[in-house]
Amino acid sequence: VSEMVASPSMVLAPADLASVAVVRAAIAGSLAERGWDEDSIHRVVLATSEATANAVEHGSLPGELVEVLYHVGMFEASVRVLDSGGTQPWAPPTTFTMPEPSAQRGRGLALIAAMARTLLVARSGQGVEVRMEFARAI
């Protein structure tokens, strides 16, 4: 069964952690409008929050923008988060595993990988692009 896909939506968020709440609300609202259940909404919002927070904290300088583009359908959603690159080039990892329990950081991508159906992290221009796809629980 082919589903109708909603038009893409975009949030251009200032590189500030307060912007993560704006992104969360926008995506949660779109998912709810399309009838997604609470657990599925939580999964998409949590993964998107992690990707956006990483883009703000590690991939952007103050005053720059983080681009969040998302498509929400009845049964599938995709999210793309693109940062501007910040000051230090970063090589995306090829695997997404949890660090040792004593590690202070490094859980975000592993968490996203566990929540998303697919995850792609790649260089894009000067920045890093995170692409995630999700399926609604049926």
Side-chain angles (χ1 to χ4, degrees), residues 69-87:
L69 179 68
Y70 56 98
H71 298 259
V72 176
M74 294 295 291
F75 302 103
E76 297 179 339
S78 63
V79 180
R80 174 183 174 265
V81 178
L82 178 64
D83 63 41
S84 58
T87 59

PDB file of all heavy atoms in Angstrom, residues 69-87:
ATOM      1  N   LEU A  69      15.493  19.129   8.448  1.00  0.00           N
ATOM      2  CA  LEU A  69      14.486  18.906   7.421  1.00  0.00           C
ATOM      3  C   LEU A  69      13.821  17.572   7.718  1.00  0.00           C
ATOM      4  O   LEU A  69      14.516  16.580   7.963  1.00  0.00           O
ATOM      5  CB  LEU A  69      15.142  18.870   6.039  1.00  0.00           C
ATOM      6  CG  LEU A  69      14.228  18.626   4.844  1.00  0.00           C
ATOM      7  CD1 LEU A  69      13.295  19.809   4.629  1.00  0.00           C
ATOM      8  CD2 LEU A  69      15.064  18.372   3.595  1.00  0.00           C
ATOM      9  N   TYR A  70      12.494  17.538   7.725  1.00  0.00           N
ATOM     10  CA  TYR A  70      11.819  16.283   8.043  1.00  0.00           C
ATOM     11  C   TYR A  70      10.579  16.085   7.186  1.00  0.00           C
ATOM     12  O   TYR A  70       9.928  17.027   6.759  1.00  0.00           O
ATOM     13  CB  TYR A  70      11.482  16.180   9.534  1.00  0.00           C
ATOM     14  CG  TYR A  70      10.645  17.303  10.087  1.00  0.00           C
ATOM     15  CD1 TYR A  70       9.271  17.162  10.237  1.00  0.00           C
ATOM     16  CD2 TYR A  70      11.231  18.505  10.483  1.00  0.00           C
ATOM     17  CE1 TYR A  70       8.502  18.188  10.759  1.00  0.00           C
ATOM     18  CE2 TYR A  70      10.466  19.532  11.007  1.00  0.00           C
ATOM     19  CZ  TYR A  70       9.104  19.368  11.138  1.00  0.00           C
ATOM     20  OH  TYR A  70       8.344  20.387  11.648  1.00  0.00           O
ATOM     21  N   HIS A  71      10.302  14.811   6.913  1.00  0.00           N
ATOM     22  CA  HIS A  71       9.108  14.366   6.197  1.00  0.00           C
ATOM     23  C   HIS A  71       8.389  13.416   7.137  1.00  0.00           C
ATOM     24  O   HIS A  71       9.009  12.490   7.663  1.00  0.00           O
ATOM     25  CB  HIS A  71       9.473  13.573   4.938  1.00  0.00           C
ATOM     26  CG  HIS A  71      10.236  14.331   3.911  1.00  0.00           C
ATOM     27  ND1 HIS A  71       9.651  14.847   2.788  1.00  0.00           N
ATOM     28  CD2 HIS A  71      11.550  14.644   3.823  1.00  0.00           C
ATOM     29  CE1 HIS A  71      10.569  15.449   2.051  1.00  0.00           C
ATOM     30  NE2 HIS A  71      11.724  15.341   2.657  1.00  0.00           N
ATOM     31  N   VAL A  72       7.110  13.612   7.325  1.00  0.00           N
ATOM     32  CA  VAL A  72       6.331  12.715   8.173  1.00  0.00           C
ATOM     33  C   VAL A  72       5.156  12.196   7.360  1.00  0.00           C
ATOM     34  O   VAL A  72       4.331  12.974   6.878  1.00  0.00           O
ATOM     35  CB  VAL A  72       5.818  13.430   9.442  1.00  0.00           C
ATOM     36  CG1 VAL A  72       4.925  12.503  10.253  1.00  0.00           C
ATOM     37  CG2 VAL A  72       6.988  13.923  10.281  1.00  0.00           C
ATOM     38  N   GLY A  73       5.105  10.883   7.205  1.00  0.00           N
ATOM     39  CA  GLY A  73       3.982  10.229   6.555  1.00  0.00           C
ATOM     40  C   GLY A  73       3.166   9.471   7.583  1.00  0.00           C
ATOM     41  O   GLY A  73       3.430   9.543   8.787  1.00  0.00           O
ATOM     42  N   MET A  74       2.202   8.724   7.128  1.00  0.00           N
ATOM     43  CA  MET A  74       1.354   7.950   8.034  1.00  0.00           C
ATOM     44  C   MET A  74       2.132   6.831   8.725  1.00  0.00           C
ATOM     45  O   MET A  74       1.867   6.510   9.873  1.00  0.00           O
ATOM     46  CB  MET A  74       0.171   7.347   7.275  1.00  0.00           C
ATOM     47  CG  MET A  74      -0.798   8.390   6.746  1.00  0.00           C
ATOM     48  SD  MET A  74      -1.647   9.299   8.039  1.00  0.00           S
ATOM     49  CE  MET A  74      -2.689   8.008   8.695  1.00  0.00           C
ATOM     50  N   PHE A  75       3.103   6.236   8.022  1.00  0.00           N
ATOM     51  CA  PHE A  75       3.796   5.067   8.553  1.00  0.00           C
ATOM     52  C   PHE A  75       5.310   5.211   8.601  1.00  0.00           C
ATOM     53  O   PHE A  75       5.989   4.392   9.197  1.00  0.00           O
ATOM     54  CB  PHE A  75       3.430   3.810   7.747  1.00  0.00           C
ATOM     55  CG  PHE A  75       1.959   3.549   7.740  1.00  0.00           C
ATOM     56  CD1 PHE A  75       1.192   3.860   6.637  1.00  0.00           C
ATOM     57  CD2 PHE A  75       1.329   3.025   8.859  1.00  0.00           C
ATOM     58  CE1 PHE A  75      -0.176   3.634   6.632  1.00  0.00           C
ATOM     59  CE2 PHE A  75      -0.037   2.800   8.870  1.00  0.00           C
ATOM     60  CZ  PHE A  75      -0.792   3.113   7.752  1.00  0.00           C
ATOM     61  N   GLU A  76       5.844   6.230   7.934  1.00  0.00           N
ATOM     62  CA  GLU A  76       7.289   6.434   7.897  1.00  0.00           C
ATOM     63  C   GLU A  76       7.615   7.910   8.086  1.00  0.00           C
ATOM     64  O   GLU A  76       6.820   8.771   7.729  1.00  0.00           O
ATOM     65  CB  GLU A  76       7.867   5.962   6.558  1.00  0.00           C
ATOM     66  CG  GLU A  76       7.686   4.477   6.334  1.00  0.00           C
ATOM     67  CD  GLU A  76       8.250   4.026   4.992  1.00  0.00           C
ATOM     68  OE1 GLU A  76       8.413   4.865   4.088  1.00  0.00           O
ATOM     69  OE2 GLU A  76       8.512   2.826   4.858  1.00  0.00           O
ATOM     70  N   ALA A  77       8.789   8.143   8.635  1.00  0.00           N
ATOM     71  CA  ALA A  77       9.281   9.515   8.793  1.00  0.00           C
ATOM     72  C   ALA A  77      10.776   9.514   8.496  1.00  0.00           C
ATOM     73  O   ALA A  77      11.467   8.521   8.743  1.00  0.00           O
ATOM     74  CB  ALA A  77       9.026  10.028  10.212  1.00  0.00           C
ATOM     75  N   SER A  78      11.246  10.631   7.966  1.00  0.00           N
ATOM     76  CA  SER A  78      12.685  10.792   7.766  1.00  0.00           C
ATOM     77  C   SER A  78      13.085  12.158   8.294  1.00  0.00           C
ATOM     78  O   SER A  78      12.310  13.115   8.244  1.00  0.00           O
ATOM     79  CB  SER A  78      13.064  10.650   6.293  1.00  0.00           C
ATOM     80  OG  SER A  78      12.471  11.672   5.522  1.00  0.00           O
ATOM     81  N   VAL A  79      14.289  12.215   8.844  1.00  0.00           N
ATOM     82  CA  VAL A  79      14.802  13.455   9.419  1.00  0.00           C
ATOM     83  C   VAL A  79      16.239  13.625   8.953  1.00  0.00           C
ATOM     84  O   VAL A  79      17.033  12.674   8.940  1.00  0.00           O
ATOM     85  CB  VAL A  79      14.772  13.429  10.969  1.00  0.00           C
ATOM     86  CG1 VAL A  79      15.307  14.739  11.544  1.00  0.00           C
ATOM     87  CG2 VAL A  79      13.363  13.147  11.484  1.00  0.00           C
ATOM     88  N   ARG A  80      16.579  14.849   8.564  1.00  0.00           N
ATOM     89  CA  ARG A  80      17.941  15.188   8.157  1.00  0.00           C
ATOM     90  C   ARG A  80      18.382  16.374   9.002  1.00  0.00           C
ATOM     91  O   ARG A  80      17.698  17.399   9.044  1.00  0.00           O
ATOM     92  CB  ARG A  80      17.950  15.564   6.681  1.00  0.00           C
ATOM     93  CG  ARG A  80      19.259  16.071   6.166  1.00  0.00           C
ATOM     94  CD  ARG A  80      19.071  16.485   4.692  1.00  0.00           C
ATOM     95  NE  ARG A  80      20.236  17.112   4.165  1.00  0.00           N
ATOM     96  CZ  ARG A  80      20.446  18.423   4.110  1.00  0.00           C
ATOM     97  NH1 ARG A  80      19.537  19.266   4.578  1.00  0.00           N
ATOM     98  NH2 ARG A  80      21.540  18.915   3.593  1.00  0.00           N
ATOM     99  N   VAL A  81      19.512  16.235   9.685  1.00  0.00           N
ATOM    100  CA  VAL A  81      20.068  17.321  10.493  1.00  0.00           C
ATOM    101  C   VAL A  81      21.423  17.668   9.897  1.00  0.00           C
ATOM    102  O   VAL A  81      22.275  16.796   9.719  1.00  0.00           O
ATOM    103  CB  VAL A  81      20.217  16.902  11.977  1.00  0.00           C
ATOM    104  CG1 VAL A  81      20.852  18.023  12.786  1.00  0.00           C
ATOM    105  CG2 VAL A  81      18.862  16.514  12.562  1.00  0.00           C
ATOM    106  N   LEU A  82      21.621  18.936   9.576  1.00  0.00           N
ATOM    107  CA  LEU A  82      22.864  19.388   8.954  1.00  0.00           C
ATOM    108  C   LEU A  82      23.448  20.542   9.754  1.00  0.00           C
ATOM    109  O   LEU A  82      22.760  21.540   9.993  1.00  0.00           O
ATOM    110  CB  LEU A  82      22.609  19.824   7.513  1.00  0.00           C
ATOM    111  CG  LEU A  82      23.795  20.376   6.729  1.00  0.00           C
ATOM    112  CD1 LEU A  82      24.868  19.300   6.530  1.00  0.00           C
ATOM    113  CD2 LEU A  82      23.334  20.926   5.392  1.00  0.00           C
ATOM    114  N   ASP A  83      24.700  20.390  10.176  1.00  0.00           N
ATOM    115  CA  ASP A  83      25.361  21.489  10.878  1.00  0.00           C
ATOM    116  C   ASP A  83      26.313  22.194   9.919  1.00  0.00           C
ATOM    117  O   ASP A  83      26.474  21.787   8.767  1.00  0.00           O
ATOM    118  CB  ASP A  83      26.062  21.005  12.154  1.00  0.00           C
ATOM    119  CG  ASP A  83      27.189  20.023  11.901  1.00  0.00           C
ATOM    120  OD1 ASP A  83      27.964  20.214  10.937  1.00  0.00           O
ATOM    121  OD2 ASP A  83      27.309  19.058  12.681  1.00  0.00           O
ATOM    122  N   SER A  84      26.944  23.257  10.386  1.00  0.00           N
ATOM    123  CA  SER A  84      27.825  24.056   9.535  1.00  0.00           C
ATOM    124  C   SER A  84      29.287  23.641   9.622  1.00  0.00           C
ATOM    125  O   SER A  84      30.114  24.146   8.888  1.00  0.00           O
ATOM    126  CB  SER A  84      27.682  25.532   9.901  1.00  0.00           C
ATOM    127  OG  SER A  84      27.988  25.701  11.270  1.00  0.00           O
ATOM    128  N   GLY A  85      29.611  22.745  10.524  1.00  0.00           N
ATOM    129  CA  GLY A  85      30.977  22.239  10.599  1.00  0.00           C
ATOM    130  C   GLY A  85      31.788  22.731  11.770  1.00  0.00           C
ATOM    131  O   GLY A  85      32.791  22.127  12.115  1.00  0.00           O
ATOM    132  N   GLY A  86      31.380  23.813  12.396  1.00  0.00           N
ATOM    133  CA  GLY A  86      32.139  24.321  13.539  1.00  0.00           C
ATOM    134  C   GLY A  86      33.565  24.661  13.158  1.00  0.00           C
ATOM    135  O   GLY A  86      33.833  25.096  12.044  1.00  0.00           O
ATOM    136  N   THR A  87      34.488  24.416  14.071  1.00  0.00           N
ATOM    137  CA  THR A  87      35.885  24.777  13.821  1.00  0.00           C
ATOM    138  C   THR A  87      36.791  23.582  13.577  1.00  0.00           C
ATOM    139  O   THR A  87      37.887  23.745  13.077  1.00  0.00           O
ATOM    140  CB  THR A  87      36.459  25.553  15.028  1.00  0.00           C
ATOM    141  OG1 THR A  87      36.362  24.728  16.200  1.00  0.00           O
ATOM    142  CG2 THR A  87      35.714  26.847  15.245  1.00  0.00           C
TER     143      THR A  87
END
